[in-house]
Amino acid sequence: SWLSDFERERGQVTGRVLCQARPNLAVKFEPSHLRQVLYNLIDNALRYASQQDGAVRILIERNEEGEVELWVFDDGPGLDRATSSALFEPFYTTRAEGTGLGLFLAREFCETNGAQLAHGARQVEGAAARLEGFVVRFAPASVPRLEADNMQPL
């Protein structure tokens, strides 16, 4: 699965990413584009998250409008207002070694595939407060299915 591949490539992240998904959710998205979007979102989340197990949480479910949403949350400090307003601008980065293209390209891939990438907050079962994170809202589709070896049922 993409998450297993990611964990293998990155090393030392096993257990830090928790993925929960509703069964039988399908999206239409170029697989290589989806892998890149997921890689960028999870890589960013791990960069700002703690070293604790479950510090990054992926939640895949259908929203009230019937769209499939993929949320990526982390237990990091969150974004300040200035960073939040420039997140998807090309070449905007808060890291000296960053290119500032990861979130910009992720958003471009989403738009190319009829999806939307945004930053927002929502209440999540088991969390004391609203969690801040990134959300991909997918266009309606029938294939391919998102898969992860270590997904947990909701």
Side-chain angles (χ1 to χ4, degrees):
S1 76
W2 56 265
L3 186 53
S4 297
D5 293 344
F6 178 86
E7 289 177 333
R8 199 171 24 261
E9 285 176 25
R10 286 289 308 268
Q12 298 182 343
V13 299
T14 302
R16 288 183 59 206
V17 180
L18 172 65
C19 188
Q20 297 174 292
R22 297 267 184 220
N24 301 318
L25 295 178
V27 298
K28 182 178 179 184
F29 208 105
E30 167 61 40
S32 64
H33 291 178
L34 183 56
R35 264 193 201 85
Q36 190 62 53
V37 169
L38 292 170
Y39 184 92
N40 288 352
L41 294 177
I42 296 168
D43 187 57
N44 280 348
L46 285 166
R47 185 174 302 116
Y48 297 104
S50 72
Q51 298 298 312
Q52 302 298 314
D53 284 352
V56 174
R57 187 171 176 183
I58 301 167
L59 178 63
I60 307 168
E61 63 185 3
R62 195 171 300 281
N63 66 18
E64 293 171 0
E65 290 81 34
E67 302 165 312
V68 174
E69 291 185 339
L70 181 147
W71 283 84
V72 177
F73 304 103
D74 65 68
D75 66 358
L79 300 174
D80 60 43
R81 188 165 278 147
T83 300
S84 175
S85 67
L87 277 176
F88 300 105
E89 295 297 320
F91 308 111
Y92 178 80
T93 184
T94 58
R95 297 181 313 131
E97 67 279 2
T99 64
L101 292 175
L103 290 174
F104 170 76
L105 290 174
R107 187 179 226 179
E108 292 293 310
F109 284 140
C110 285
E111 289 176 0
T112 297
N113 286 276
Q116 299 172 331
L117 174 60
H119 183 265
R122 64 165 282 182
Q123 188 65 45
V124 175
E125 187 177 327
R130 290 171 59 89
L131 297 181
E132 188 177 300
F134 289 92
V135 59
V136 178
R137 287 185 186 94
F138 295 96
S142 57
V143 290
R145 296 193 188 285
L146 290 170
E147 297 178 14
D149 292 340
N150 56 351
M151 284 186 181
Q152 296 179 359
L154 294 173

